[in-house]
Amino acid sequence: NFTGWNKAGTKTEDTFEIWERFRLRSDFIANEAVKFRLGIKVEDTWGHGTFTAANPDAATSLQVDLAYLQFKVPGCQDIEVTAGLQDVNLPQSGLFFGSPVWSDKMAALTINAPLIDKTLSLMTGFGRLIDTNRTYDTTTTQVPDELDAYFLALPVTLEGFKATPWAMLSVAGRNTNYGFKDTTDTVESGNSFANTLLSAGSSANMTKGYGTGRWKNGQNPYYWAGGAFEVTALDPVRFYADVIYGAGAANDTKGAKREGWMVDGGAEYTGLDMVTPQVFAFWSTGEDKSTSNGSERMPYMRSSWGPGNSFLFDDSQELGKGSNMYVSPVGNYGIGASLNKMSFIEDLTHRLTFVYLRGNNSARAIRYARTAFANDYFTMGHDLTTNEYLMGLNFDTKYMIYENLAAVMETGWAHGQFQESVWGHRLVHQASENGDNAWKMALGLTYKF
């Protein structure tokens, strides 16, 4: 975080730690039409806890990672229904890894069905993201304490072209605990829904972590519409692009509204055996000078967006436990390039990526929100003003020791310029003591079978 501290500047982060992660997926298959998948996980930093189920602590206990039933509809074997805790990823073009709106686990019911063979298909579903009070509300008065999502995607595949229009509608209750962070989140990486979904005023007025003090409506709709596009007709030159618009609380108070755009695009050349060059850019709307008129940034919930494995973003790092910068693509814009799939020796591959980005957010709005609301809605290095920039360089290497065993090294350097009048002397001065630089080196072994 450029300072060596946590985001709030209240704790010092260890510069070296060793950690271990375990994921096991088991399929219980009755026949070709019916199966159940159970996923369990354990994750811990060495020197802290135990890896036992009999005497676990909060950080090392076995946790259910996936648990879903999947079956084919009788008489319509091409229609597949999945119900339970599962991976849900909104569409995104292949150059940018995951969706900036939602790419994570979700307790959901989803349906996948072909409409036109090999040309048009359907993915739709419903998920419950939060139910704060669960079975019983706290009094005899029922309150809207849920966050639900409905989503739809229509992938269209033609020769040399793929387009996936999609949409999601989320119904947000006024009494929902938007400060919630799930168990996969760390202190630094986990951004609550209060920061990513709500406007600054709504987030700041949450009462004891529950509800939104600025909402007049019991429930507010949030919606997103977008499209992911890939063009391979000019192969070996391939093009990628995404367009997303999101908005929420449009019919509530002026300060509760949040809406914005995000677009990205890129190209790669796949005609070389030893390397795949890639270029890319993105742009997203930022906050204007006022927080009283709502937010001009696109709302989002669980982002894993990022190009070229850039450690500026929380995206595709294999060794990503606390080792990336968690910069938000929302409210910023940037350009970059990557030399991907470099291979000069058998079983040894490399990736080199550079990204430069600047903020689209007004310094006045962020400064006011930090002084008036005194929360972590905006954080230095995660959100950038129009006067700030970041650049990051990462070089990643993978060597396949055996078919299933790999040695992975991910390295990175980032440099930033931060505005003292926004973030305060203490944080900015501490970052400058480090040359406004951040460094990363992660080395590990991965075994997949």
Side-chain angles (χ1 to χ4, degrees):
N1 301 312
F2 297 100
T3 61
W5 299 335
N6 63 349
K7 290 191 290 188
T10 57
K11 300 178 182 179
T12 299
E13 184 179 15
D14 280 346
T15 56
F16 175 76
E17 67 178 6
I18 308 171
W19 56 273
E20 185 172 345
R21 179 171 60 201
F22 171 73
R23 303 284 188 270
L24 178 66
R25 281 88 167 94
S26 302
D27 287 339
F28 301 87
I29 302 173
N31 51 56
E32 292 183 356
V34 180
K35 73 173 184 179
F36 179 85
R37 171 166 286 191
L38 176 66
I40 59 176
K41 67 177 182 178
V42 177
E43 188 165 332
D44 191 33
T45 302
W46 284 13
H48 177 263
T50 64
F51 284 93
T52 65
N55 185 31
D57 62 22
T60 59
S61 57
L62 283 168
Q63 299 180 55
V64 175
D65 192 34
L66 295 167
Y68 61 81
L69 173 67
Q70 193 171 74
F71 63 92
K72 303 292 182 67
V73 175
C76 302
Q77 291 294 300
D78 292 331
I79 300 177
E80 185 176 73
V81 179
T82 305
L85 182 62
Q86 58 188 285
D87 285 310
V88 174
N89 300 288
L90 293 177
Q92 191 74 16
S93 64
L95 196 64
F96 296 95
F97 191 64
S99 167
V101 177
W102 183 277
S103 187
D104 202 351
K105 305 292 189 296
M106 182 187 292
L109 173 71
T110 61
I111 299 173
N112 286 275
L115 301 179
I116 302 175
D117 185 42
K118 298 180 181 179
T119 301
L120 177 64
S121 59
L122 166 75
M123 189 280 283
T124 187
F126 161 80
R128 170 144 288 184
L129 311 183
I130 306 176
D131 187 355
T132 299
N133 296 326
R134 292 185 286 183
T135 305
Y136 293 100
D137 287 333
T138 55
T139 69
T140 54
T141 301
Q142 188 172 5
V143 295
D145 63 330
E146 296 86 16
L147 177 65
D148 295 333
Y150 306 81
F151 44 90
L152 171 70
L154 295 168
V156 179
T157 303
L158 304 172
E159 186 175 355
F161 178 73
K162 181 179 179 180
T164 307
W166 62 271
M168 182 166 77
L169 171 66
S170 185
V171 181
R174 181 172 58 197
N175 297 82
T176 304
N177 178 11
Y178 294 103
F180 163 82
K181 298 179 183 180
D182 69 22
T183 55
T184 63
D185 285 333
T186 67
V187 172
E188 293 307 308
S189 67
N191 284 297
S192 68
F193 291 99
N195 294 356
T196 61
L197 188 67
L198 308 180
S199 68
S202 295
S203 175
N205 281 275
M206 291 171 59
T207 304
K208 297 181 181 179
Y210 290 80
T212 54
R214 278 198 169 189
W215 281 15
K216 65 177 182 181
N217 300 330
Q219 293 180 313
N220 276 319
Y222 281 74
Y223 64 90
W224 294 263
F229 307 93
E230 300 184 6
V231 178
T232 58
L234 301 176
D235 209 24
V237 178
R238 300 182 179 182
F239 298 93
Y240 304 84
D242 300 274
V243 179
I244 307 172
Y245 174 77
N251 295 319
D252 208 287
T253 60
K254 191 176 181 181
K257 299 177 183 178
R258 181 164 174 173
E259 63 175 334
W261 290 84
M262 181 174 173
V263 296
D264 61 39
E268 65 178 357
Y269 181 76
T270 61
L272 301 176
D273 293 333
M274 294 188 297
V275 64
T276 300
Q278 300 172 329
V279 293
F280 43 82
F282 73 97
W283 177 87
S284 177
T285 53
E287 301 285 352
D288 65 11
K289 294 181 180 180
S290 173
T291 56
S292 63
N293 63 353
S295 172
E296 291 72 37
R297 294 181 304 148
M298 181 185 75
Y300 65 102
M301 290 189 281
R302 294 292 188 206
S303 172
S304 64
W305 181 96
N309 205 50
S310 172
F311 92 114
L312 290 179
F313 307 103
D314 186 8
D315 53 16
S316 55
Q317 295 87 15
E318 291 195 63
L319 308 177
K321 184 179 176 66
S323 64
N324 62 56
M325 305 304 295
Y326 303 106
V327 178
S328 173
V330 174
N332 301 316
Y333 68 98
I335 58 173
S338 182
L339 296 176
N340 197 15
K341 300 177 182 177
M342 288 190 288
S343 182
F344 309 105
I345 300 174
E346 187 178 3
D347 296 327
L348 183 65
T349 57
H350 311 278
R351 181 194 290 109
L352 177 66
T353 299
F354 176 79
V355 176
Y356 174 86
L357 64 149
R358 296 190 69 94
N360 262 335
N361 300 297
S362 164
R364 178 179 175 181
I366 294 181
R367 183 187 306 113
Y368 175 77
R370 285 179 57 80
T371 56
F373 302 147
N375 66 359
D376 64 350
Y377 186 81
F378 295 111
T379 55
M380 192 180 85
H382 180 269
D383 306 289
L384 302 176
T385 74
T386 54
N387 301 315
E388 298 177 313
Y389 73 85
L390 289 179
M391 63 177 71
L393 182 71
N394 59 284
F395 183 69
D396 310 313
T397 298
K398 176 185 286 189
Y399 176 64
M400 299 304 302
I401 303 172
Y402 293 104
E403 182 179 357
N404 302 100
L405 179 66
V408 179
M409 183 174 69
E410 296 178 337
T411 63
W413 162 80
H415 177 76
Q417 175 181 293
F418 307 108
Q419 195 169 348
E420 186 173 326
S421 62
V422 173
W423 309 110
H425 174 76
R426 182 170 176 268
L427 288 174
V428 174
H429 175 72
Q430 179 66 19
S432 67
E433 288 287 302
N434 298 325
D436 292 319
N437 296 319
W439 301 87
K440 164 192 175 178
M441 186 176 73
L443 178 66
L445 299 169
T446 65
Y447 175 58
K448 299 179 181 180
F449 61 93

